[in-house]
Amino acid sequence: MDFKLTEEQQMIKQAARDFAQTDCLPGVIERDDQQKFPQDQIKKMGELGFMGMMVSPEYGGSGMDTLSYVLAMEEISKIDASCSVAMSVNNSLVCWGLEKFGTEEQKQKYLKPLASGEKIGAFCLSEPEAGSDATSQRTTAEDKGDYYLLNGTKNWITNGNSASIYLVIAQTDPEKGHRGINALIVEKGMDGFVVGKKEDKLGIRGSDTHSLMFTDVKVPKENRIGEDGFGFKFAMKTLSGGRIGIAAQALGIAAGAYELALKYAQERKAFGKEIMRHQAIAFKLADMHTEIEAARMLVYRAALDKDNGESFDLSSAMAKLKASQVAMDVTVEAVQIHGGYGYVKEYHVERLMRDAKITQIYEGTSEIQKIVISRAIAD
Ligand code: COS
């Protein structure tokens, strides 16, 4: 086992850290407050190669490994999880799925602008009545010969309004159950496709989360990903990789809150000495540091499994389960260490605590991760 990062990975980590400090930190409180999408930051992320990190340069990507992607996600999430969720969805749910399972024409037409950051993608699986129970898709894609007729509603879609390319999961043949589901590439502007209301969220408030409505949208057959009926497996395989991204986001949120709490504890004095010198605070920070390191090992392990061509369903589920719990625990403690200051926006930790919660919910709740883990260990 080699726990050392390569020189290139260290450089990527530093570049992401610099970008987060210079471009994401200014205005992060206002963007959260006003639910403002980080348009300029995403544009810059595209220029820096962060929107298509694992995509081959042949298709406009950076051609990097998953660990490099995780390192960048972690650094950006320390400062702004609204930026990093847009990055995560674009990289692992949209670009990765298209590169792995798309046709050459789909890659030329859709992957290239997504990987370069020129366009943003969205992944549309969740519905008002199908989140965890993903096989129960109500959105239909009726086979009409040379096109599919798409009808239905998708909910809580990240990049919902800012995206222009959407991967939509829909049921074509209900009799076949999950084997009758397809994944279709839908473009913004197609007749009958309407972006619905923006959600007013607890956290990641800069991220634009919308419902989407499809009414008799004609999607050409050549926009289907994979064979007829491959849609559910496409979603599952893609989500396994997506969970590595969200695990990295959770890790970054935890590490960001820890760094702020440590700094505060070394500066703030009470009872005649820095609060770090009080065991009550020092032990909290010791636990936070240890838990973050444990989560980091699981997240990096999942990334390495993916890079080494191993199965990563189990390791990504464990990474997400652990890192999201650590994010929640550490951010709560970071607020506690800050005392009254922790409860106000200026000190950032209250935002990180709000942002942490979603990592236990999206791309498979913690309970879903336990289903995946328990099934894997039972086999
Ligand atoms: N990769 C490839 N195929 C997979 C897979 C994976 N990771 N996981 C499941 N499948 C396949 C199974 O092999 C099965 O195919 P066959 O019947 O051909 O063998 C099919 O998918 C159905 O699997 P299963 O019977 O296990 O489905 P369940 O309905 O029991 O659901 C869970 C499995 C719960 C794991 C799945 O529905 C899930 O992950 N749900 C959460 C979805 C999610 O993350 N939602 C958030 C929305 S995105 S923000």
Side-chain angles (χ1 to χ4, degrees), residues 123 125-126 131-135 178-179 232-233 236-237 239-240 243 313 361-365 368 371-372 375:
F123 182 84
L125 174 70
S126 295
S132 294
D133 182 8
T135 57
H178 67 77
R179 294 196 187 98
F232 188 73
K233 287 191 182 165
M236 290 297 109
K237 283 177 192 284
L239 274 169
S240 285
R243 287 166 188 166
D313 296 336
I361 298 173
Y362 58 20
E363 299 198 25
T365 60
I368 289 291
I371 293 178
V372 174
R375 284 184 182 177

Side-chain angles (χ1 to χ4, degrees), residues 42-252:
I42 306 284
K43 186 168 177 286
K44 183 89 186 268
M45 281 201 270
E47 288 161 12
L48 290 168
F50 289 150
M51 293 303 273
M53 287 190 75
M54 297 167 288
V55 175
S56 152
E58 191 189 339
Y59 299 112
S62 307
M64 291 173 192
D65 57 11
T66 311
L67 187 55
S68 300
Y69 162 59
V70 158
L71 295 168
M73 276 294 298
E74 190 183 332
E75 290 305 324
I76 296 168
S77 303
K78 284 180 183 175
I79 305 293
D80 190 347
S82 292
C83 283
S84 68
V85 69
M87 172 178 165
S88 181
V89 167
N90 202 70
N91 273 277
S92 34
L93 292 186
V94 183
C95 286
W96 187 80
L98 276 173
E99 186 167 25
K100 180 97 179 149
F101 302 109
T103 62
E104 186 55 33
E105 291 71 32
Q106 289 169 350
K107 290 180 200 176
Q108 292 296 339
K109 187 170 177 189
Y110 298 113
L111 179 58
K112 273 188 167 175
L114 287 165
S116 63
E118 188 194 318
K119 289 186 177 169
I120 302 177
F123 182 84
C124 316
L125 174 70
S126 295
E127 298 188 350
E129 290 172 84
S132 294
D133 182 8
T135 57
S136 297
Q137 294 290 308
R138 297 270 174 94
T139 298
T140 54
E142 222 183 309
D143 191 338
K144 293 284 189 186
D146 55 356
Y147 65 90
Y148 287 99
L149 199 62
L150 187 66
N151 278 288
T153 301
K154 294 289 174 184
N155 262 25
W156 310 293
I157 303 303
T158 300
N159 300 338
N161 194 32
S162 51
S164 37
I165 297 166
Y166 300 76
L167 306 189
V168 181
I169 312 297
Q171 180 63 261
T172 295
D173 188 347
E175 280 183 12
K176 290 189 182 158
H178 67 77
R179 294 196 187 98
I181 290 175
N182 279 311
L184 306 177
I185 305 168
V186 177
E187 291 180 46
K188 190 184 245 167
M190 281 183 170
D191 277 351
F193 173 22
V194 173
V195 176
K197 78 171 172 66
K198 181 172 174 155
E199 301 293 349
D200 186 1
K201 307 189 297 294
L202 172 73
I204 53 160
R205 288 171 57 79
S207 161
D208 67 331
T209 312
H210 288 255
S211 53
L212 308 175
M213 274 81 75
F214 305 97
T215 311
D216 290 339
V217 180
K218 285 184 182 173
V219 185
K221 266 271 168 75
E222 63 260 27
N223 281 24
R224 187 186 70 213
I225 302 174
E227 294 296 302
D228 183 31
F230 180 65
F232 188 73
K233 287 191 182 165
F234 170 80
M236 290 297 109
K237 283 177 192 284
T238 307
L239 274 169
S240 285
R243 287 166 188 166
I244 301 176
I246 299 306
Q249 180 187 48
L251 176 63

